[in-house]
Amino acid sequence: MDLRLLDEAATEAERDAVDSLLGTPESGWEGGTRRDSDLRYARGGHAARDRRDLLLPALHAVNDRVGWISRGALNHICRRLTVPPAEAYAVASFYAMFALHERPRRVVHLCTDIACAAAGSGALRDRLAERLGPPGAGSEAAGPDAPPVTWHESPCLGMCERAPAALSLQAGAPARYAVAAPATPDGLDALTEGAPRGEEPTNGHRPHGPGTAHPTTFHPEPLPGASPEPRPEDAVPDAGSPDHVLLRRIGRVDPLSLDDYRSAGGYAALREALRLGPAGVIREVTDSGLVGRGGAAFPTGRKWNATAQQPDTPHYLVCNADESEPGTFKDRVLMEGDPFSVVEAMTIAGYAIGARTGYLYIRGEYPRALLHLENALSLARERGLLGTDIMGSGFSFDIEIRRGAGAYICGEETAIFGSIEGQRGEPRTKPPFPVEKGLFGKPTTVNNVETLVNVLPVLLMGGPAYAAVGTSGSTGPKLFCLSGGVRRPGLYELPFGATLGDLIEAAGGPPEGRSIRAVLLGGAAGTFVRADELDIPLTFEGARAAGASLGSGVVLVLDDTADLPAILARVAAFFRDESCGQCVPCRVGTVRQEESLLRLRSGASPAQEIPLLREVGRAMRDASICGLGQTAWNAVESAIDRLGLYSEDGPATENPAPGGTATPAPGDRAATEEAR
Amino acid sequence: MTVPVLLPAPKRLIDATIDGEAVRVPEGTTVLEACAAAGTEVPTLCYGDTLTPRNACRVCVVEVEDARTLAPACSRRLEAGMSVSTDSERVRHSRKLVLELLGSSVDLSTTPEVAEWMERYEADPGRFGPRAEPAALGVRDARHAGEHRPGDGSVAETVEQPAKVDNDLYVRDYSKCIMCYKCVDACGDQWQNTFAIGVAGRGFDARISTEHDVELPDSACVYCGNCIEVCPTGALSFTTEFEMRKAGTWDEERQTETTTVCTYCGVGCNVTLHVQDNRIVKVSSPHDNPVTHGNLCIKGRFGFQHVQRRGDG
């Protein structure tokens, strides 16, 4: 491969950002000063391919420093990593958080997803448009006095318990961030005010290595002018409850202190794991009956065992912290409030499956979680809890953080490999399964954050004792993300077995004078259930028997003021925006689904549209490559079948007036009866 | 000294059923290959006989007994005891919808066989409503990932945009692009190793693009034309073909194909000359040829004009 680059050169800041990640170029072959000796050898090929996984961090480095990725910057990255520019462009243009056209250094992400839309993000959107011009516009669009800020509508930011939410990211050295949640018009104004700070030396977003003791991607001090971010434990309404297992340290220990973590029982599980040996750990996890908490509910012990058994080496562990399902924020709370537990659990998992390297893939919209994890990793390394010969056991393991850049699909268990490898985050066809050929084509275990954190109580209690918690089909404690129309939204921990109604009751039920219209269970890829179905047991088998799924634990309560047609249109827009575009049923099907729902909203005949939606939905479910396309029709289907929205025989239902009581359209009753 | 001769391990034969008929094929055979051997026709669009399947178009999906979803025949390997249906109601439904979704968003007018499949699966791309106006040149290439302006559903969005004519040798008409990834694979690590193009953007806005959407002469393109060779829809075509289609003079019925050996160098590539009215209108290469596997270089692919200089210029 010849590396043919465009003529544009990188600016000093862009070069500096990339070089702070990759180090000074060693030779003329990768963009340094050309010396005579460089002419006696060529660099490229396999040596360069081995560094391809640094592409995503390099793109982040420039985007973090400058706010967008220019042609010159992309050229420099390509030369440093020997990546063809067309491929680097293909990767950069895949992610929503990277800009390839010049834009202001500060970007406000206003969440307009389901929970925030229900909490009134529409008015905030209008306010931003008034102050800053249309989404994505540069500051010049809003007039000469407008602050140097741009904004856009964001998919779920994972702050659903304090909706509506906005996140402001500002490029610089280092980058800064601020959140406004719940966002008020004044709070939003504060996010857009404040002059950008000057350049400061940074150690940037770099993988671990010598001399990077405390790498921080974001400056821990938020943007000037913004109100302080609520504490992580504020997301847990009953924080400090003695019944908590997974959340027991949240709010009780300083998430930045390793000593605090250890004095609260931290690293006892790893010690136990080292005593048991890898096979013993897998036995306990298998006995515990723990299944994956990311949505697929696959038995964790079986996955670990299948990876450990593979003759091919090395084995990899990937912690999937790309929590992007609308309505989900549990992994954020765990990572922000108890980051060492994630590190300890990954170390145990790595030990069990025989991995030496673990990747923690965190979504790009979680700056504080990233900050806390970066701190946790460097402290753990300093104390010999990561790196070579952990706790004197002879076991060596380290963790690299990889930060996503705004792509829901990268949470798919195979798309995450592409993203880490520096390719586009497109899912792969299974088989082969990740336990055989995963990251870099090697045996890989992918576990969600909540799943991994469950391993700590499994080892401390012992597998059989853990299995005694919950029900026979769903063991252990479970986190539920409650948002929408309840009095105390937030993260709740319950043993499996409570009903949906119990959980909503624990959150105080609907606010005064409101009644529940529907509950979205499992997020945008989940299903709506009716207010008279709250006796559904919150177990994997119970939800399945009721024709729903727990998914990632989302319980989004919609009260009688909810504008269901608007919510469905938002769900459809979400899937359309987040489809990777690889396969036809998903790439075009999600567009046709949205178009049909928009037609229904404006009064088209349900008798014509709904059969069309069903046909498209069925093909998406049957023929898409991955779970995104396969589930893109779930919520819409359940709104039609279970809630009776848009009855097929009657006219389109009217939007219920805000504050009014929902009156079912004439055909609704029949449709809901049929759905039973 | 004895030198060990490494022979491939003998392949086990496995038994499976396709549409109720027992088949016995070597291990590792794909469902598509097994279907071909059994004489069962399976439509394919993104499958390329010289490329690793990407299984992106999903028109070849088949139903595997006890599987939750349908499987792409082009890349799923037949396993012992597997029972495959290639024409069940589920399969027919998905194929019909895939053809409708493609037909409603892409210009399939030059895609071979697709009209016949549309008829077979009773596909009606028109039922998603009237087609939206084509985008202006460059608009689709500038779209930001994860952002779109929702319309009102009154028109069906398409990928249509003006053809890109930026060099003398070939034309990129992305209104006809079904995103099969074959050109990317042929240009990239599977054959040419030039990496001039990639898939940029995502979702419905995903498109084949050079870096920053620069024109081909500014890109790394070496004009081997191997992307044209593998393009299943005519989105990439010789300038000659593009112009003749525009003028209405392109007529494959009147064309003859003659395979000969390229005269430029000593490698011995086979070139197939497509001749209409005694003029070479395009050049391809046989995919089953062990020298080229369908690939050529710029000279073999495009260097045919001197042949037709018969004292007229």
Side-chain angles (χ1 to χ4, degrees):
Chain A
M1 175 191 77
D2 292 331
L3 196 61
R4 177 170 164 170
L5 301 167
L6 299 172
D7 290 337
E8 280 95 336
T11 64
E12 201 176 320
E14 289 165 345
R15 262 205 319 276
D16 195 43
V18 177
D19 294 351
S20 76
L21 170 79
L22 301 175
T24 319
E26 283 172 14
S27 72
W29 287 103
E30 48 172 73
T33 318
R34 194 168 285 274
R35 291 183 294 266
D36 282 354
S37 58
D38 291 344
L39 301 174
R40 298 195 193 101
Y41 76 103
R43 176 157 187 180
H46 291 284
R49 261 172 245 165
D50 287 347
R51 285 150 44 100
R52 175 73 184 253
D53 68 302
L54 293 171
L55 178 58
L56 185 60
L59 292 168
H60 262 303
V62 173
N63 206 63
D64 283 346
R65 175 78 68 100
V66 188
W68 68 289
I69 299 160
S70 69
R71 288 185 179 198
L74 196 75
N75 265 354
H76 185 66
I77 292 171
C78 289
R79 192 188 302 277
R80 290 295 323 264
L81 294 173
T82 324
V83 173
E87 289 215 335
Y89 182 76
V91 171
S93 61
F94 184 83
Y95 296 99
M97 294 176 81
F98 294 146
L100 293 156
H101 297 281
E102 190 168 4
R103 68 173 179 187
R105 281 170 68 180
R106 194 180 295 182
V107 181
V108 175
H109 302 251
L110 175 70
C111 180
T112 53
D113 220 320
I114 311 170
C116 288
S121 62
L124 300 172
R125 177 175 57 200
D126 297 344
R127 174 125 181 162
L128 281 177
E130 188 189 315
R131 276 174 64 86
L132 305 173
S139 47
E140 69 282 355
D145 301 327
V149 181
T150 187
W151 72 285
H152 74 110
E153 293 182 37
S154 170
C156 183
L157 288 172
M159 291 184 271
C160 321
E161 85 283 7
R162 43 195 159 107
L167 165 72
S168 177
L169 297 173
Q170 181 178 293
R176 286 164 184 269
Y177 76 97
V179 299
T184 57
D186 290 345
L188 263 194
D189 290 351
L191 277 195
T192 60
E193 301 290 339
R197 291 267 183 118
E199 301 278 319
E200 292 162 35
T202 179
N203 43 11
H205 184 103
R206 63 173 66 169
H208 68 87
T212 56
H214 292 277
T216 48
T217 303
F218 285 95
H219 198 290
E221 184 190 319
L223 284 168
S227 50
E229 190 175 2
R231 298 167 305 167
E233 59 264 34
D234 291 351
V236 182
D238 56 352
S241 159
D243 298 337
H244 283 171
V245 178
L246 303 175
L247 301 177
R248 69 193 171 99
R249 274 182 292 262
I250 307 258
R252 292 190 172 180
V253 302
D254 174 2
L256 296 173
S257 162
L258 179 53
D259 291 329
D260 255 26
Y261 178 71
R262 295 189 78 156
S263 66
Y267 281 102
L270 177 60
R271 194 168 295 115
E272 177 65 13
L274 295 173
R275 195 183 65 79
L276 289 170
V281 174
I282 291 176
R283 190 185 61 236
E284 294 297 328
V285 173
T286 308
D287 288 349
S288 74
L290 174 65
V291 300
R293 302 290 200 243
F298 189 83
T300 306
R302 217 195 307 163
K303 192 187 277 187
W304 286 17
N305 192 45
T307 314
Q309 300 289 323
Q310 294 292 323
D312 196 8
T313 55
H315 297 181
Y316 288 107
L317 172 74
V318 174
C319 172
N320 187 347
D322 190 64
E323 168 182 73
S324 313
E325 181 68 34
T328 317
F329 48 91
K330 60 193 171 80
D331 294 347
R332 172 180 63 82
V333 176
L334 287 172
M335 291 187 289
E336 287 183 351
D338 197 10
F340 291 99
S341 69
V342 181
V343 175
E344 183 186 356
M346 281 185 72
T347 312
I348 293 168
Y351 179 64
I353 65 166
R356 285 188 63 117
T357 310
Y359 287 86
L360 198 157
Y361 188 90
I362 182 171
R363 66 182 303 210
E365 291 91 340
Y366 281 177
R368 181 161 70 181
L370 176 67
L371 203 65
H372 288 191
L373 284 165
E374 284 175 333
N375 175 72
L377 287 187
S378 53
L379 289 181
R381 253 175 231 134
E382 264 174 25
R383 299 281 189 86
L385 296 166
L386 275 180
T388 47
D389 192 20
I390 291 169
M391 285 181 164
S393 64
F395 165 60
S396 299
F397 182 76
D398 213 326
I399 296 172
E400 287 192 26
I401 291 182
R402 281 291 185 275
R403 188 171 145 219
Y408 169 72
I409 185 63
C410 291
E412 201 274 342
E413 70 166 345
T414 57
I416 205 168
F417 303 145
S419 189
I420 295 173
E421 290 168 12
Q423 313 280 350
R424 289 162 59 82
E426 292 173 346
R428 299 173 184 175
T429 303
K430 293 179 280 188
F433 292 94
V435 294
E436 299 161 41
K437 284 188 190 308
L439 187 63
F440 303 114
K442 298 295 179 182
T444 304
T445 282
V446 186
N447 283 138
N448 166 262
V449 171
E450 187 192 344
T451 314
L452 284 168
V453 170
N454 266 286
V455 170
L456 305 177
V458 165
L459 289 181
L460 294 174
M461 296 162 77
Y466 178 96
V469 181
T471 65
S472 58
S474 306
T475 61
K478 173 79 189 103
L479 299 178
F480 293 97
C481 310
L482 244 74
S483 57
V486 288
R487 284 180 221 221
R488 287 187 300 277
L491 186 62
Y492 287 85
E493 177 181 324
L494 291 177
F496 278 111
T499 66
L500 186 53
D502 295 341
L503 182 62
I504 294 173
E505 203 54 45
E512 189 68 39
R514 301 272 177 82
S515 61
I516 296 174
R517 178 164 188 204
V519 177
L520 179 58
L521 194 58
T527 42
F528 287 103
V529 297
R530 288 189 309 277
D532 61 358
E533 294 180 298
L534 299 185
D535 54 350
I536 292 179
L538 292 174
T539 56
F540 294 113
E541 63 277 14
R544 208 175 303 126
S549 83
L550 288 190
S552 53
V554 171
V555 177
L556 205 154
V557 180
L558 299 168
D559 61 31
D560 44 21
T561 62
D563 181 351
L564 273 175
I567 290 170
L568 281 198
R570 181 67 182 98
V571 169
F574 173 80
F575 282 108
R576 176 196 174 148
D577 282 344
E578 299 300 333
S579 167
C580 80
Q582 205 182 182
C583 70
V584 174
C586 178
R587 180 177 76 233
V588 191
T590 52
V591 174
R592 298 293 175 249
Q593 172 172 275
E594 189 194 25
E595 286 168 353
S596 184
L597 286 169
L598 291 171
R599 283 197 293 272
L600 278 169
R601 262 189 100 185
S602 47
S605 153
Q608 193 175 342
E609 294 298 332
I610 289 180
L612 192 67
L613 272 171
R614 285 188 198 283
E615 284 197 40
V616 172
R618 190 173 164 216
M620 287 200 284
R621 185 175 288 163
D622 264 355
S624 296
I625 292 179
C626 80
L628 187 145
Q630 289 160 10
T631 60
W633 149 246
N634 284 359
V636 182
E637 182 185 40
S638 65
I640 293 168
D641 286 347
R642 293 177 93 111
L643 305 183
L645 186 73
Y646 300 127
S647 162
E648 267 165 270
D649 329 305
T653 44
E654 294 294 321
N655 299 351
T661 318
T663 39
D668 274 11
R669 187 66 59 198
T672 45
E673 292 297 332
E674 201 179 26
R676 281 178 207 169
Chain B
M1 190 179 84
T2 54
V3 178
V5 178
L6 294 172
L7 292 173
K11 282 196 174 166
R12 229 159 35 101
L13 290 175
I14 55 162
D15 291 301
T17 56
I18 293 177
D19 295 331
E21 300 283 320
V23 293
R24 175 172 284 187
V25 295
E27 199 175 29
T29 304
T30 63
V31 173
L32 187 68
E33 288 161 349
C35 284
T40 309
E41 201 216 334
V42 174
T44 59
L45 276 171
C46 73
Y47 170 77
D49 55 355
T50 60
L51 296 161
T52 307
R54 280 275 193 160
N55 56 74
C57 75
R58 316 306 276 186
V59 76
C60 73
V61 285
V62 294
E63 186 167 356
V64 177
E65 199 175 69
D66 297 330
R68 189 172 49 85
T69 54
L70 302 179
C74 64
S75 60
R76 175 60 62 85
R77 299 191 185 285
L78 209 61
E79 290 163 29
M82 202 185 247
S83 174
V84 176
S85 311
T86 67
D87 204 38
S88 65
E89 194 275 330
R90 256 179 106 187
V91 168
R92 291 184 65 87
H93 177 82
S94 279
R95 289 191 189 161
K96 170 187 156 181
L97 259 293
V98 162
L99 290 167
E100 286 182 335
L101 292 171
L102 272 180
S104 64
S105 56
V106 181
D107 170 8
L108 296 179
S109 61
T110 51
T111 308
E113 294 184 89
V114 89
E116 186 193 314
W117 298 333
M118 289 265 189
E119 204 172 313
R120 188 194 308 167
Y121 294 103
E122 292 163 12
D124 171 19
R127 65 195 183 119
F128 298 110
R131 295 170 94 92
E133 287 291 308
L137 196 62
V139 167
R140 280 186 56 79
D141 294 291
R143 290 201 183 148
H144 192 88
E147 279 179 17
H148 76 283
R149 301 274 152 269
D152 56 5
S154 60
V155 288
E157 204 180 324
T158 73
V159 301
E160 288 168 356
Q161 59 172 317
K164 295 185 176 181
V165 187
D166 53 16
N167 67 89
D168 291 341
L169 301 181
Y170 74 101
V171 175
R172 299 177 289 152
D173 184 0
Y174 289 137
S175 294
K176 294 179 175 174
C177 178
I178 61 164
M179 298 297 297
C180 68
Y181 289 64
K182 278 154 97 171
C183 58
V184 177
D185 290 340
C187 184
D189 58 358
Q190 293 196 25
W191 288 116
Q192 186 63 27
N193 271 283
T194 289
F195 300 95
I197 48 173
V199 173
R202 72 168 189 235
F204 194 72
D205 298 334
R207 66 263 172 185
I208 305 298
S209 177
T210 55
E211 67 271 22
H212 301 284
D213 183 36
V214 297
E215 300 199 323
L216 277 183
D218 292 332
S219 77
C221 180
V222 297
Y223 303 94
C224 62
N226 293 332
C227 52
I228 310 173
E229 182 74 46
V230 297
C231 180
T233 64
L236 304 171
S237 65
F238 279 68
T239 304
T240 41
E241 177 176 345
F242 180 78
E243 305 260 297
M244 286 171 75
R245 279 186 189 279
K246 209 160 67 174
T249 56
W250 180 263
D251 186 356
E252 275 172 32
E253 301 272 295
R254 272 163 46 213
Q255 290 172 13
T256 57
E257 292 177 20
T258 308
T259 300
T260 177
V261 177
C262 181
T263 54
Y264 279 107
C265 75
V267 170
C269 297
N270 275 194
V271 290
T272 302
L273 309 176
H274 299 244
V275 176
Q276 182 180 330
D277 304 334
N278 212 25
R279 285 184 74 83
I280 299 170
V281 290
K282 76 171 185 184
V283 173
S284 62
S285 182
H287 289 201
D288 57 358
N289 183 283
V291 181
T292 66
H293 300 281
N295 299 299
L296 291 171
C297 72
I298 180 172
K299 291 194 275 189
R301 181 85 61 190
F302 294 107
F304 53 81
Q305 293 305 333
H306 68 286
V307 180
Q308 22 215 49
R309 287 192 192 278
R310 291 161 302 191
D312 55 354

